[in-house]
């Protein structure tokens, strides 16, 4: 410091000017670096918002497409019947209906080029184009997925090649719940513009490059004239010499794709470069202005110093104001606008989520009501022939025999009626056997002692709960189809046993038995009870019991039929152990 004081005033002033210029240049370049960082950060946030808006637009477009897919795939009256119909005449009638229906579906949204159906049985259907062009894409549609978008592809339509997506889903029967096999595939051919929508302000960005990629990395939209649509995106190919870029990536989850924004840093920072140049010019001008007092100080040190202090004061005030204005140019109003857009996007996302939850809830409720209706229908099936024959027997006894038997028979019949209309669907096995005893009492009177009954149920299983009226249809089948047509004395055995987790109830007769072919038919039918066309060949009673058990406990339980021709028939019910209250 002492050495500096001893320097000539000219050197001191020169060092002072050099220090001031250095500080000013440091401020300029530091401000430039910080400004570049802020601009890049703000642009990254801006591009993130644009990606969010694009996903919102894609989601809106794909939601419409997904609804169309679901409506077509699970249209039971036209589409599913057409895929499963085997009669050629009926299939042609459904084809006419299907053609009109698919035509209406195409008009629901712009950009749908074609709709095709491919059945697993060989059925093929589409409205426009060549169906053979679409067949290779059937294998891309995965099983058990609500919808799937393939990658970008080019297909000819009316002699013109179009860049399209294939949106499709597997089709499963909604009537045969036990059959999970795929019955066909639905494919919607969509123009790329029907999937992607760009926010208006995004297209107004200057210098930016946008690349929208499909799940395979193919470009299906870009504003870069040097990159062809349908080509595979490559980072190296899109760079221009030594140009540096600001890059932001984002996923497009609905189609499994990706969106890439690229903006050359030279374009992004061009305004700041102008500011830096202007600042350097100002520094140069300031240096020239400082040169005047510098020379004047030589002759008159006080006056030049005062002028320098005044100039420096004025210059600092001007510099500070300029920095404030530049900071104001950073676009705080735009930050507020982006915040508003983001909040609005969250509001719309919440609304869409609530709507999706409400839709799923309605679907689950509808499915539950349907299952309950099916169960109530199966439980309501009672063979009226038994009631008719019982009343005929009562009328005959009233004339021929006397009041005791009529009283006992009426009492037994009343017990059966009360039991059948009892509110609960599951009862202790003890109550079910009490009703069966009343039923057998009536039948033995009706058949005048032509058969004998053996009942063997251990006391320890009588408290287990079973579906109500589960034994009566099987006992009736054994009497009508086994003992009634038998010329010799008949024997009916009712037995119950339990294993570790299973209760087995058996109804066995020594009737004529079942032919092997018919027994095989019954086995196949019981394993596929949804085939109602065969119901009359097997019997509604057997079907009722088997279906009730499967609806209540699952496919692992049900009826087993054992029979040998000439030796009798045994029907075994298998249900899980369920202790009574």
């Amino acid at each position: 410091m002492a050495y500096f004081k001893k320097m000539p005033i000219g050197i001191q002033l020169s060092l002072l000017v050099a220090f001031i210029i250095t500080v000013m240049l440091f401020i300029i370049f530091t401000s430039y670096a910080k400004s570049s960082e802020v601009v890049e950060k703000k642009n990254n946030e801006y591009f993130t918002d644009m990606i969010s808006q694009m996903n919102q637009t894609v989601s809106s477009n794909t939601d419409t497409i997904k609804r169309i897919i679901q409506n077509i795939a699970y249209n039971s009256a036209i589409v599913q019947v057409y895929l499963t119909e085997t009669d050629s005449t009926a299939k042609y009638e459904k084809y006419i209906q299907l053609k009109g229906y698919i035509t209406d579906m195409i008009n629901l949204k712009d950009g749908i080029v074609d709709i095709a159906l491919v059945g697993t049985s060989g059925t093929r259907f589409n409205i426009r184009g060549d169906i053979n062009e679409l067949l290779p894409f059937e294998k891309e549609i995965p099983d058990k997925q609500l919808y799937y978008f393939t990658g970008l592809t080019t297909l000819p339509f009316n002699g013109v090649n179009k860049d399209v997506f294939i949106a499709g889903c597997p089709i499963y029967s909604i009537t045969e719940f036990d059959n999970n096999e795929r019955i066909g595939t639905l494919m919607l051919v969509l123009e790329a513009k029907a999937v992607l929508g760009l926010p208006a302000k995004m297209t107004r960005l200057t210098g930016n490059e946008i690349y929208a990629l499909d799940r395979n990395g193919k470009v299906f939209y870009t504003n870069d004239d040097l990159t062809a649509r349908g080509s595979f995106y490559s980072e190296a190919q899109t760079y221009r010499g030594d140009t540096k870029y600001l890059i932001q990536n984002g996923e497009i989850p609905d189609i499994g794709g990706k969106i890439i924004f690229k903006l050359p840093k030279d374009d992004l920072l061009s305004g700041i470069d102008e500011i830096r140049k202007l600042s350097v010019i100002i520094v140069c001008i300031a240096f020239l202005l400082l040169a005047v007092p510098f020379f004047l100080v030589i002759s008159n040190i006080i006056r030049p110093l005062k002028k320098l202090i005044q100039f420096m004061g004025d210059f600092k005030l001007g510099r500070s104001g300029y920095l404030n204005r530049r900071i104001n140019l950073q676009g705080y109003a735009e930050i507020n606008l982006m915040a508003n857009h983001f909040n609005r996007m969250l509001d719309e996302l919440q609304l869409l989520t609530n709507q999706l939850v409400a839709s799923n809830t309605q679907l689950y409720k509808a499915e539950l009501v349907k299952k309950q209706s099916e169960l109530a229908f199966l439980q309501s099936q009672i063979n009226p022939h038994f009631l008719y024959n019982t009343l005929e027997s009562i009328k005959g006894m009233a004339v021929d025999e006397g009041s005791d038997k009529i009283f006992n028979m009426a009492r037994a019949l009343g017990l059966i009626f009360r039991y059948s209309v009892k509110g609960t669907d599951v009862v202790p096995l003890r109550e079910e056997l009490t009703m069966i005893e009343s039923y057998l009492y009536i039948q033995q009177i009706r058949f005048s002692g032509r058969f004998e009954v053996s009942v063997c149920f251990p006391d320890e299983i009588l408290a287990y709960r079973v579906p109500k009226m589960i034994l009566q249809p099987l006992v009736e089948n054994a009497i009508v189809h086994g003992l009634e047509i038998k010329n010799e004395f008949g024997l009916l055995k009712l037995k119950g046993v339990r294993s570790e987790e299973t209760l087995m109830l058996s109804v066995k007769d020594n009737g004529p038995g079942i032919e092997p072919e018919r027994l095989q038919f019954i086995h196949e039918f019981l394993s596929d009870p949804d085939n109602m066309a065969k119901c009359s060949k097997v019997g509604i009673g057997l079907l009722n019991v088997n279906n009730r058990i499967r609806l209540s406990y699952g496919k692992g339980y049900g009826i087993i039929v054992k029979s040998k021709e000439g030796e009798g028939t045994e029907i075994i019910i298998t249900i899980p152990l369920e202790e009574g209250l």
Side-chain angles (χ1 to χ4, degrees):
M1 190 66 180
Y3 178 76
F4 180 75
K5 290 180 180 179
K6 296 178 181 180
M7 287 183 179
I9 188 65
I11 295 177
Q12 292 187 26
L13 291 176
S14 298
L15 292 175
L16 178 61
V17 171
F19 177 77
I20 293 173
I21 293 174
T22 302
V23 170
M24 292 176 64
L25 291 175
F26 174 80
I27 293 173
I28 291 172
F29 287 102
T30 301
S31 300
Y32 173 79
K34 185 63 178 177
S35 299
S36 300
E37 179 182 345
V38 171
V39 169
E40 290 181 12
K41 179 180 178 181
K42 298 303 179 184
N43 275 274
N44 279 332
E45 294 175 354
Y46 182 78
F47 285 157
T48 300
D49 181 69
M50 291 298 101
I51 291 172
S52 298
Q53 292 189 42
M54 174 171 287
N55 275 326
Q56 180 183 344
T57 303
V58 172
S59 177
S60 177
N61 290 333
T62 56
D63 279 349
T64 302
I65 294 168
K66 286 183 277 186
R67 286 195 297 270
I68 293 174
I69 288 175
Q70 296 302 310
N71 289 339
I72 295 175
Y74 295 102
N75 182 298
S76 59
I78 299 176
V79 176
Q80 296 216 349
V81 172
Y82 179 78
L83 290 175
T84 57
E85 182 62 62
T86 57
D87 181 75
S88 59
T89 302
K91 196 174 188 69
Y92 177 76
E93 293 176 356
K94 290 299 179 183
Y95 172 82
I96 300 301
Q97 298 178 16
L98 179 64
K99 186 174 182 181
Y101 173 73
I102 295 300
T103 301
D104 293 339
M105 291 293 103
I106 288 181
N107 296 328
L108 287 180
K109 179 171 178 58
D110 293 335
I112 299 180
V113 179
D114 194 9
I115 297 179
L117 290 169
V118 179
T120 55
S121 62
T123 300
R124 298 179 182 179
F125 173 88
N126 73 318
I127 294 295
R128 305 166 183 163
D130 185 1
I131 187 66
N132 293 320
E133 297 283 349
L134 300 178
L135 292 181
F137 298 99
E138 178 191 6
K139 298 180 180 179
E140 292 189 35
I141 309 299
D143 289 330
K144 297 182 180 179
Q145 189 160 328
L146 292 177
Y147 68 94
Y148 180 82
F149 284 80
T150 67
L152 183 71
T153 188
T154 302
L155 295 177
F157 287 91
N158 298 326
V160 178
N161 290 332
K162 292 186 177 183
D163 293 334
V164 297
F165 286 93
I166 309 297
C169 75
I171 302 177
Y172 298 90
S173 174
I174 63 175
T175 58
E176 297 184 5
F177 296 100
D178 294 332
N179 183 4
N180 291 325
E181 291 186 358
R182 184 168 171 173
I183 64 172
T185 303
L186 170 65
M187 291 180 284
L188 272 69
V189 183
L190 308 166
E191 292 186 59
K193 65 181 181 181
V195 176
L196 181 68
L198 292 177
K201 64 180 182 179
M202 182 185 298
T203 59
R204 294 196 296 267
L205 291 174
T206 57
N208 70 313
E209 298 171 8
I210 306 172
Y211 302 89
L213 314 181
D214 67 2
R215 64 174 64 251
N216 300 320
K218 283 187 177 181
V219 178
F220 67 91
Y221 172 83
T222 183
N223 60 352
D224 181 9
D225 296 332
L226 300 180
T227 301
R229 296 187 183 184
S231 63
F232 287 96
Y233 176 79
S234 171
E235 287 271 343
Q237 293 177 356
T238 56
Y239 277 84
R240 313 286 187 254
D242 297 330
T243 303
K244 296 182 179 180
Y245 290 86
L246 181 66
I247 301 176
Q248 185 75 6
N249 298 329
E251 301 295 329
I252 309 178
D254 279 334
I255 64 173
K258 189 176 183 182
I259 185 74
I260 300 174
F261 290 92
K262 292 177 58 178
L263 184 62
K265 287 190 175 182
D266 290 342
D267 293 341
L268 178 65
L269 304 177
S270 59
I272 300 178
D273 284 338
E274 294 296 328
I275 295 172
R276 183 183 59 176
K277 292 177 182 178
L278 180 60
S279 299
V280 172
I281 292 174
I282 292 174
V283 171
C284 293
I285 294 173
F287 176 76
L288 293 176
L289 292 175
L290 287 174
V292 175
F294 174 76
F295 288 108
L296 291 176
V297 166
I298 299 299
S299 58
N300 191 349
I301 190 169
I302 296 177
R303 186 169 58 89
L305 286 176
K306 289 183 177 180
K307 289 183 179 180
L308 179 60
I309 293 172
Q310 180 68 38
F311 175 80
M312 291 179 63
D314 294 339
F315 181 79
K316 288 181 179 179
L317 291 175
R319 180 60 178 171
S320 177
Y322 187 81
L323 285 174
N324 290 335
R325 290 193 298 271
R326 183 172 62 83
I327 292 174
N328 291 334
L329 293 177
Q330 294 305 305
Y332 289 112
E334 294 178 356
I335 293 176
N336 293 332
L337 180 61
M338 285 190 287
N340 293 334
H341 282 308
F342 184 75
N343 292 333
R344 190 176 304 124
M345 182 200 68
L346 291 178
D347 293 338
E348 293 176 359
L349 181 62
Q350 182 179 8
L351 177 61
L352 292 174
T353 302
N354 292 337
Q355 291 176 348
L356 180 60
V357 171
S359 298
N360 286 339
T361 301
Q362 292 298 324
L363 288 175
Y364 290 141
K365 287 182 178 179
E367 185 68 19
L368 179 60
V369 169
K370 184 175 181 181
K371 289 292 185 183
Q372 291 173 342
S373 299
E374 291 176 353
L375 183 58
F377 171 76
L378 292 174
Q379 291 176 336
S380 67
Q381 305 302 303
I382 299 176
N383 189 346
H385 295 291
F386 166 65
L387 300 179
Y388 174 82
N389 292 333
T390 301
L391 292 175
E392 287 298 316
S393 298
I394 293 173
K395 288 166 60 178
M397 286 188 298
V399 175
D400 298 334
E401 296 189 18
S403 62
D404 289 341
K405 285 188 177 181
I406 294 175
F407 172 79
N408 292 331
M409 194 170 188
R411 183 175 62 179
L413 181 58
L415 187 148
I416 294 173
F417 273 124
R418 286 194 300 272
Y419 181 81
S420 65
V421 299
K422 188 176 180 180
T424 181
D425 296 327
V426 181
V427 298
L429 179 58
R430 181 182 295 104
E431 294 185 13
E432 181 76 4
L433 292 178
T434 300
M435 187 278 295
I436 290 299
E437 289 174 358
S438 298
Y439 175 79
L440 289 173
Y441 172 78
I442 295 172
Q443 290 288 31
Q444 284 182 315
I445 292 176
R446 177 189 167 204
F447 288 96
S448 302
R450 287 174 52 191
F451 64 90
E452 180 182 347
V453 179
S454 171
V455 179
C456 181
F457 288 85
D459 291 338
E460 61 267 18
I461 71 171
L462 296 181
Y464 288 112
R465 296 165 65 82
V466 299
K468 186 176 68 175
M469 298 294 287
I470 194 173
L471 289 175
Q472 186 272 337
L474 305 185
V475 173
E476 182 176 353
N477 275 355
I479 294 174
V480 174
H481 300 292
L483 302 179
E484 184 175 0
I485 60 177
K486 181 179 175 65
N487 295 326
E488 296 84 5
F489 187 76
L491 177 60
L492 179 64
K493 293 183 179 180
L494 279 68
K495 183 175 64 174
V497 295
R498 60 156 291 182
S499 62
E500 293 182 359
E501 297 181 355
T502 305
L503 180 63
M504 301 180 67
L505 308 177
S506 169
V507 178
K508 183 176 182 180
D509 65 78
N510 64 344
I514 304 174
E515 299 86 348
E517 294 80 6
R518 178 171 174 76
L519 182 61
Q520 178 65 27
F521 176 84
I522 293 174
H523 288 163
E524 292 176 356
F525 176 76
L526 291 177
S527 64
D528 183 20
D530 289 331
N531 191 352
M532 297 302 294
K534 302 177 183 178
C535 177
S536 60
K537 299 181 180 180
V538 174
I540 189 67
L542 205 60
L543 174 65
N544 268 345
V545 175
N546 191 58
N547 280 4
R548 285 179 61 195
I549 293 173
R550 288 197 170 193
L551 285 174
S552 299
Y553 305 113
K555 292 184 179 180
Y557 302 94
I559 286 178
I560 301 172
V561 180
K562 297 181 179 180
S563 181
K564 287 186 179 180
E565 193 171 5
E567 297 183 9
T569 301
E570 181 180 13
I571 300 177
I572 301 173
I573 296 174
T574 305
I575 59 175
L577 292 177
E578 183 179 352
E579 295 185 359
L581 298 176

